[in-house]
Amino acid sequence: MPRTTTLENPGCPPLRALTFDVLGLIKVIEAKGEEKAAAKVVERWGEPDSTRAVVAASILDREIDPLLGVARKNGLVDVLNPVNGDIQVSIPNVSQTDVYPEADAIIGLHLFRKQRLESLSRSITFLTCTIKGRTSMKSIEIPQSCTDTISDAAQTTWNTCGSGDILFSKVDENECYALFGGKGVEVNVWDIHTSTKIWTAKSPVKNNLGIFTPTWFTSGSFLSKDHRKFVSGTNSHQVRLYDVSAQRRPIMSFDFGETAIKAVTGDLDGYTIYAGNGSGDLASVDIRTGKLLGCFLGKCSGSIRSIVRHPELPVIASCGLDSYLRIWDIKSRQLLSAVFLKQHLSDVVFDSYFRNEVGGSTDLPHQLQGLNDISEGTEDEGIVPDKRKKASKVHKGSKKLKLRNEGKNSDLPPQPQDLNKIPEMIRAKRKKASKVHKGSEKHKLRKNRQEQ
Amino acid sequence: MGGKRKNSAGTTSGHSTQEGGQHVKKKEKIVETLLPSTIKNKEKRSAVHAKIKHQKGLEKRKRAKAREAAEQRALELGEEPPLKMIPRTIENTRELDETICKPDDEELFAGNDADEFSSILKQDCTPKILITTCRFNSTRGPAFISDLLTVIPNAHYFERGTYDLKKIVEYAKNKDFTSVIVVHTNRREPDALLIMALPDGPTAHFKLSKLLLRKDIKHHGNPTSHKPELVLNNFTTRLGHRIGRLIQSLFPQDPNFRGRRVVTCHNQRDFIFFRHHRYIFETKESKQAASSGKKIKDNKDEESSEQKVIARLQECGPRFTLKLISLQHGTFDSKGGEYEWVHKPEMDTSRRRFFM
C-alpha cells in the first residue's frame, strides 16, 4: 500500500541561504516561513562551467552593503552582492603567475568585516589560503563598475606550512587569528596582523600498541567568541578540542562515525558543536563533556562538506556531495527542509538579514526614506551602496520593530514567528501524549467495568 | 482441503439444492460479521477460510468473464473496447523523487560535460580496463573473470598478488587504464564487484548475486570479438545516471553492429540485471511459418503479410545481478574516502522508494 499517513512537516522559518556547487553556480534558497512551506530555489547566478567550480565562499553578513566572496577553482576570487548577484569585482590570482591555479587551488577564503584601510572609498580585505599553504591577505578597492581595473592591491603573503597539504583555514570571531591544518600539517594558529605563527599543536602520543596515527586534519573551527579554543576533525574520524592557553595536545578528543570528519562547526553558545563526516552522518556534541547529544537523521546519503549555524534562528544548514541542502532544527534535531540542487555542493552560507516580505508593506515609502537616511549617513558621495531590495520593503532599522509589525498584520501575538513555532510543536506533541493517556485511561475504565 | 470439500460435496449431494443455497448464504452472513482468524477451532477455521477463498475465486472468474464478454461485444459492434485496467505495481506507485533527471535540464548536460567519464564518452580516449581480484581467488572467480574478459573489449586481467589496491590504482593510472574492476570472492563464490573510474573518477561498490557463468547457461552462444552494443535501461535519477555513465565508460562507444552482440544493463527496483546476448534478424515466409506452426506463435499474423522480420536472441552469458552499496567520490579509499551515496538502513522505510 502506498503511504497513507503523511509525515508532519514542521515547516521552515523564514531564511535565506546561498549554496555553491561544482559547476560554479550560486543558488539562492529562500523559505518564506509560511505554514508548512518548504524552502525553494528562487535564483540561480552564473553559467554552468566546471573550471569555475566554487571551492570556498565567505559572506559579509551585514545590514548595509553586504558582500559575498567566492573563490573558484581556476584561482579567481569573485566578490558579489548577495542580494542580487551582481559581480562587484573579480580578482585574478595575481600572486602566482608561474604556478598552475588548479594545482594550488584555494581552500579557504574569508572576507573581513573591519576595514583595514581608513580610506574614503569602499574597499574590501580578504584572506585566501591555498593547498600548498600560501596565505595572502589583500585589500582591494571596489571599483565603480566591473570594467575598471583594480587599482591598488595591498598584499601580505606568507607560507603557513613547509610540507603537506592545508585542508582548511578559519578566521576567528574578532578577525585577529587564523587557524590552519591539513594532511601532514598540525593545526596552527597565526596572528593575522603580524603574520606570525603563535601556536602549533602537538600530535597525540602513541597508543598502547605503539602505533602512531599520521597527522591528517580535515576540518576545524573556532568556538564562538573565543579565539583560544577550537575544535578540529581528523581523517581518522576523531574530533579534538584544543585550548591554546592550556596545552599543546588536545584537551578532549572522541571518535565519531567511521569516516573522516569533513565538517565541524561550533554553536553560538560556545560548547555545542556540529560534526559531519564523509558518509553523511551529522551529529551535535557537547564538547565540554564529549557527549553525543544526538544525530540528525534524515536520509542524508552523501559526504557533508559544510555546516553553517544561522546567527539568529535555531537552525543549521548542511550540504555536501548528495547535492541536497538540508535545514535542521537544532533543538529537536528534526529535518525542516531539504532542497535538491542537482550538483555536488561545496559550501553554504546564510544571509541572516533576509526578511519575509509578506507583512508591513503599508508604510513602505516612509521606511524607504529611513533607509536612505541611514545609508547617506554612512557612505560617501559617489558610491551608491547596494541596498537590500527585499529588506527595504519591510525594514525599519531594527529587527524587533519589524517583527512587531508583522505580528500586527497577521493578528498574531507580538512574537517572532520562528520562536512561535517551537512551542507549537511541543504543544502538538503534548496533545498527542494526552490523547494516548486518555485512551489508556478509557481502556482501564473498560477493564474495571468488565471486572465488575 | 480439496479432498475434504469433495467429500462434503458428495455427502450433501443427496440434500435438496435449496437447502445448500441457504447454507451458503448463512455462511456468507457469518463471514461478513466474523473473520476466520477469530475462530478458535482449527477445523472450523480452515473450513470457513476455504469457503471464503472458494467464493472469492468464483467471483473473480465471474468478473473476468463479464469483462471478456464486454470486450467481445464491443468488438462485434465495432465500438471502442473498454479501457484495460492498469495493474498497480511497485514501480508505477513509486515514491515521488525530485532527483529524477529531466530531459530539458541544462545543468544536467553541463554536469555531464564536466564529469569524469566525458572524455571516454566523447570518444577522446578509448577505454582500457584492468580486471583484478581479491587476495584469495579460486574456482568461480577466475571463471567469471574469463567470461568478463570476453564481454568487455580491451580488458586485461592482472593477478592480484599481495599488492594493495591503492598501489594497483596507482599502477593503472600510470599505464593509462581508464577503469579498474575488482571481483571479490567469498567462499569461492564471487559476491562483490568494485568498479572504479580512473584517474579520479568515482568508485562504485556493488553486491553481486545470482551469478550464472556461460557454461552453466543452457544453449548458450559464443560471442565474437566484435565490439558489443550496450543497452542501459531505467537509469532515471541523478545517481542512476551517474552509475549508467560509469558502466557506459567500460565499453567502447563505437559498437560493431555487424557483430550483433548486445550487452544489457537493466535497472529495476535498484537491482541492475546484466545480460549478454547475440541476436539475429530472420525473415520468415508465410509458407514456412504455416508448416512449422507449432514453433512460432505469431504465425496467424504472418498470414496477412507474406514476409516478416523477427529478432531472435541467444544468450551468451555471464548473467548476474548487481546492487549498489556505495558510490565513493574519488578512487578507492576505504578510510578517508568521501561518499557520494551510501546505502543506510534508515532509507529502507518504504518499499516504494528507489534511488536509481
Side-chain angles (χ1 to χ4, degrees), chain B residues 3-14:
Chain B
K4 243 183 200 174
R5 205 170 57 216
K6 262 182 197 169
N7 275 339
S8 65
T11 52
T12 51
S13 61

Side-chain angles (χ1 to χ4, degrees), chain A residues 71-89:
Chain A
R72 303 200 185 262
K73 201 169 136 198
N74 53 8
L76 217 70
V77 176
D78 285 345
V79 178
L80 297 99
N81 181 350
V83 178
N84 52 23
D86 293 341
I87 291 183
Q88 307 265 342
V89 61

